[in-house]
């Protein structure tokens, strides 16, 4: 994105790509839905280019999307994030305590008569975001270093906690409450594989690019020449991913509009509560705009790729659980894009956090 975390976001200074981002995303969603309806058997074509159950087109889109943002991260500043216990503990509480519990409650309250969709939404709530959140955070001028650290922590927790929490929220807790029980079929390796591909590859590429780019040409060239050249590719990757995702499930989405509305309602409440809760917590803890924004978006986003993969592996590609997973990004993308603009509007209400002031003073 054209703006940085060191300057206020001014719409007039944004590139055409950034300024009309909601329009491009809307076009990508519509284009994907139309492709899914117009090209019979598109999902079979895409499935033919899967590697070990992972869609190659989606993987390429996500990697292109994440690499430029992770190349912008100042890895020499990560220690300022790892030492911020309030931020780390707040993120863990939002992502691994509030998030899954909230989605469980909303799924049962709003979809008591639709067990397949309910289960799909609970799986979505367990899959914490490790990909698109980096884009939303960057667009909202959040703290890039904090986003990198929180996403890495979420990834580690995801490997060890996803299956355990899935067992708890789909089998144990419903049993305690006298509700219908179910299970999921996943393994730590399946989750670790998703983390290694969708976070590990672009993170390593971004780190090595900055390290050797600065070493060869200097930080000034890297920041002022190289990063502006690769920056737009993050949004190109985002738009490509949206087209592919919506194309794969275009027929299901457009043929079951009322079901999509039913699934969308708890998702809308979920995103609003998680994002608002993150902002409120960050403000109470005095984290400042950048880290409060990062806390909010890392809490609100979900790992749709993992949720869809688990739902398909356990219940089948045409199952209601898989459809609920697909509706996740259908709602998440426009809602979080809107929240990017809400964040930028709230920016002037924040004063810099003490840590940010001291860091800026040391650099000067």
């Amino acid at each position: 994105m054209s703006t940085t975390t060191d300057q206020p976001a001014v719409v007039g200074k944004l590139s055409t790509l950034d300024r009309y981002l909601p329009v491009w995303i809307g076009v990508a969603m519509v284009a994907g839905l139309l492709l899914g309806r117009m090209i019979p058997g598109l999902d079979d074509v895409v499935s033919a280019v899967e590697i070990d159950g992972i869609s190659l087109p989606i993987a390429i889109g996500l990697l292109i999307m994440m690499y430029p943002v992770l190349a912008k991260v100042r890895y020499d500043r990560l220690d300022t994030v790892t030492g911020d216990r309030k931020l780390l503990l707040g993120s863990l509480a939002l992502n691994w305590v509030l998030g899954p519990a909230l989605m469980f409650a909303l799924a049962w309250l709003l979809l008591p008569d639709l067990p397949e969709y309910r289960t799909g939404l609970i799986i979505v709530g367990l899959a914490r975001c490790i990909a698109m959140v980096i884009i939303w955070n960057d667009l909202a001028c959040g703290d890039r270093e904090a986003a990198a650290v929180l996403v890495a922590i979420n990834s580690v927790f995801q490997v060890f906690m996803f299956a355990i929490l899935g067992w708890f929220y789909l089998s144990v807790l419903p049993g305690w409450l006298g509700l219908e029980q179910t299970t999921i079929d996943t393994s730590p390796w399946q989750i670790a594989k998703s983390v290694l591909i969708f976070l590990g590859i672009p993170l390593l590429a971004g780190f090595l690019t900055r390290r050797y780019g600065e070493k060869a040409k200097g930080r000034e060239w890297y920041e002022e020449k190289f990063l502006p050249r690769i920056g737009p590719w993050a949004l190109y990757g985002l738009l490509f991913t949206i087209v592919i995702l919506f194309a794969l499930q275009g027929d299901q989405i457009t043929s079951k509009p009322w079901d999509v509305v039913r699934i969308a309602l708890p998702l809308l409440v979920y995103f609003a509560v998680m994002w608002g809760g993150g902002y409120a917590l960050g403000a109470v803890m005095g984290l400042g705009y950048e880290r409060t924004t990062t806390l909010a978006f890392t809490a609100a986003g979900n790992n749709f790729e993992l949720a869809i993969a688990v739902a398909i592996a356990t219940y089948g590609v045409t199952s209601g659980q898989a459809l609920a997973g697909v509706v996740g990004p259908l709602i998440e993308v426009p809602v979080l894009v809107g929240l990017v603009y809400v964040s930028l509007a709230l920016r002037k209400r924040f004063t810099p956090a003490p840590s940010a002031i001291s860091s800026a003073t040391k650099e000067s």
Side-chain angles (χ1 to χ4, degrees), residues 104 122 126 162-176:
F104 174 86
I122 292 173
L126 298 175
F162 184 90
I164 295 173
L165 289 176
W167 168 71
F168 177 76
Y169 280 107
L170 293 175
S171 182
V172 177
L173 185 56
W176 290 349

Side-chain angles (χ1 to χ4, degrees), residues 103 106-107 110-111 121 262-271:
M103 190 67 91
L106 290 173
L110 300 178
L111 300 174
L121 284 182
R262 290 288 306 272
I263 297 169
L265 182 56
L267 284 168
L268 287 170
V269 177
Y270 172 84
F271 292 134

